[in-house]
Amino acid sequence: MKAFNTFDAELRSNLLVLFTAGLLFWSSLSSLLPTLPLYIDHVGANNQEIGIVMGSFAIGLLLSRPMLGRLADERGRKIVLLIGTIVAAIAPFGYLATQSLGLLILVRIFHGISVAAFTTGYSALIADLAPAETRGEIIGYMSLTTPLGLAIGPALGGYLEATSGYGILFLLSAELGFCALLGIVQVNNPPVQTQEQTQGENHNFWQTLSSPQVRVPTIVMLLVGLSVGAVHTFVSLFLKSTEVDFNGGLFFTVAAISSFSIRVFAGKASDRLGRGLFITFGIFCYVLGLILLWQAHSAIVFLLAAIVEGAGGGTLISMMITMMADRSLPQERGKIFAICIAGLDLGIAIAAPLLGTIAELVGYRDMFGYGAVMTSLALVIFLTQSSKNLSNSLRFALGRAPDAYSLNNLKVRSEEF
């Protein structure tokens, strides 16, 4: 962590508080990962209904991200971080208050706003603070909040659900969200970087999305979202149906440890080897993880699937954020992040009801097989479309060429946004 030694004391303190708040936020959210599908099953829902309730989380993300991205660019990153933690502190009380599927869907949509706000503000703020030459390293270290939270939260949530019931579980989730809010309040809000508005500069969502440096990563994230949604929504239920002696909370904890382990060096290595190689590796891991789940008949295979899935998340998402930071100016970064990550949100939203329907027809096992096929398409697209032509795309995706769309590699900023 040599890069942190170059920062002044105030900046290091700011990053430490931000890291702690991020850890609390993800612990709050992930405490419900292995338990909420079981709670929805407990109140009488079938597989398709469980998928709809869980997938409605992404509706809140999708509807709020564009607005929150603009807000982060125009009013600063801290305000959207505050929104995210406030929602995280309130939403668990909604689960506690109702067992109606309709109301649970509304609570789940509301809860989705928390992730849209927090991830947009957090990613943009870290990208602003990190020097370009060590951006991968800094984002890699600061993104460790996610796997650490995903290691702590499911373990806590699974334990409380088994020993104390759902009421205590939801109260814990709310308390962790509130503690994250207290941390964000202490973050020093950096000045908002602005640029002169011109008639041509105020591009809408579709104009921004149409540019190749944004469109291709967004499509890749959408397809990967199918994998993420399938795993997060149905792994606990799949384990229950197979009667394999492997706890759903343990699956997410192992995945989080794997994600943590690979992030420690992947970010720094990407500053030397480029982002493309690690994005390719991350997508491949997601595909392999789904294949392992498709073929899983024992605890050891579920363990391997968790390790591989965690490695995919540990490289792909942080490296995609770093790549989009390389490709954007600070004053447009919130919007660019919001659009790209909205692809992941949409994939998750589609995955739960779509793959839930497939699970009703063919079972959980074959559902993961279908998910592997869909996610494989993301790998093909990135290998062939990530740069300005097929040759450059392959070389960039395999770590043999720099990113043609990175601002560091462009002498003149083109007016594509």
Side-chain angles (χ1 to χ4, degrees):
M1 301 178 65
K2 293 181 180 179
F4 284 90
N5 295 330
T6 64
F7 296 156
D8 59 47
E10 181 180 357
L11 181 53
R12 285 199 299 271
S13 175
N14 213 29
L15 289 173
L16 179 60
V17 172
L18 192 60
F19 186 94
T20 304
L23 180 60
L24 290 165
F25 173 84
W26 285 111
S27 296
S28 168
L29 192 78
S30 66
S31 66
L32 304 180
L33 273 180
T35 52
L36 194 55
L38 299 175
Y39 176 71
I40 301 167
D41 178 65
H42 171 73
V43 302
N46 61 34
N47 290 337
Q48 188 174 14
E49 290 168 337
I50 292 170
I52 291 171
V53 175
M54 294 300 292
S56 61
F57 183 85
I59 297 175
L61 284 135
L62 286 166
L63 293 178
S64 61
R65 268 212 201 272
M67 178 196 70
L68 292 166
R70 291 194 300 270
L71 186 64
D73 288 335
E74 296 170 3
R75 298 286 303 276
R77 320 306 190 193
K78 183 173 180 176
I79 188 169
V80 292
L81 287 168
L82 289 171
I83 292 171
T85 49
I86 288 171
V87 174
I90 294 174
F93 290 106
Y95 302 120
L96 185 61
T98 183
Q99 294 188 353
S100 162
L101 290 179
L103 291 177
L104 284 172
I105 288 173
L106 293 178
V107 174
R108 196 71 179 144
I109 291 172
F110 175 68
H111 205 175
I113 298 172
S114 67
V115 175
F118 193 88
T119 55
T120 299
Y122 190 89
S123 300
L125 180 54
I126 299 305
D128 292 345
L129 296 174
E133 62 273 12
T134 57
R135 181 173 287 147
E137 181 181 4
I138 300 302
I139 291 178
Y141 284 134
M142 293 299 292
S143 68
L144 290 173
T145 56
T146 306
L148 284 173
L150 288 171
I152 296 169
L156 272 176
Y159 173 77
L160 288 176
E161 183 272 330
T163 60
S164 303
Y166 292 108
I168 298 299
L169 166 67
F170 294 137
L171 289 174
L172 170 77
S173 179
E175 184 176 356
L176 290 170
F178 179 72
C179 291
L181 171 62
L182 295 180
I184 294 300
V185 168
Q186 301 176 56
V187 171
N188 293 323
N189 197 32
V192 180
Q193 298 194 46
T194 60
Q195 59 183 359
E196 291 186 6
Q197 297 285 328
T198 65
Q199 186 175 1
E201 186 267 332
N202 189 25
H203 294 297
N204 63 27
F205 174 91
W206 296 111
Q207 289 173 312
T208 303
L209 181 60
S210 67
S211 60
Q213 57 264 57
V214 177
R215 182 182 67 248
V216 172
T218 303
I219 293 172
V220 169
M221 293 294 272
L222 185 154
L223 292 168
V224 169
L226 296 172
S227 172
V228 176
V231 172
H232 286 187
T233 304
F234 296 110
V235 157
S236 294
L237 294 167
F238 180 38
L239 281 163
K240 183 180 178 181
S241 71
T242 61
E243 298 182 354
V244 173
D245 187 18
F246 193 82
N247 182 268
L250 179 60
F251 181 94
F252 290 107
T253 299
V254 170
I257 294 171
S258 174
S259 178
F260 174 90
S261 301
I262 202 162
R263 285 181 201 231
V264 169
F265 71 88
K268 186 174 182 179
S270 77
D271 289 328
R272 294 184 293 104
L273 302 176
R275 323 301 185 196
L277 178 63
F278 294 91
I279 292 174
T280 300
F281 173 78
I283 301 170
F284 174 78
C285 284
Y286 272 117
V287 175
L288 180 58
L290 287 170
I291 292 173
L292 287 170
L293 287 172
W294 175 41
Q295 296 296 315
H297 293 278
S298 64
I300 188 65
V301 180
F302 278 107
L303 179 65
L304 289 173
I307 292 170
V308 172
E309 197 271 342
T315 51
L316 176 63
I317 296 175
S318 62
M319 287 300 98
M320 191 68 81
I321 289 171
T322 307
M323 185 180 75
M324 299 315 294
D326 294 340
R327 295 180 174 189
S328 59
L329 295 167
Q331 54 266 34
E332 65 186 3
R333 196 163 281 154
K335 176 178 66 175
I336 298 299
F337 282 0
I339 291 173
C340 182
I341 302 175
L344 183 70
D345 303 338
L346 180 58
I348 294 171
I350 294 171
L354 173 63
L355 297 178
T357 302
I358 293 175
E360 283 287 313
L361 297 174
V362 300
Y364 293 119
R365 184 175 305 281
D366 288 341
M367 177 206 71
F368 286 115
Y370 282 105
V373 173
M374 296 176 189
T375 311
S376 295
L377 183 58
L379 184 59
V380 174
I381 290 173
F382 189 74
L383 286 169
T384 60
Q385 303 292 320
S386 59
S387 193
K388 294 187 175 181
N389 55 52
L390 177 59
S391 175
N392 285 343
S393 294
L394 282 170
R395 294 175 64 221
F396 169 61
L398 296 175
R400 304 300 298 273
D403 184 2
Y405 295 119
S406 171
L407 299 189
N408 295 328
N409 298 319
L410 293 175
K411 294 182 180 179
V412 179
R413 168 69 165 166
S414 61
E415 297 297 326
E416 292 181 299
F417 294 99

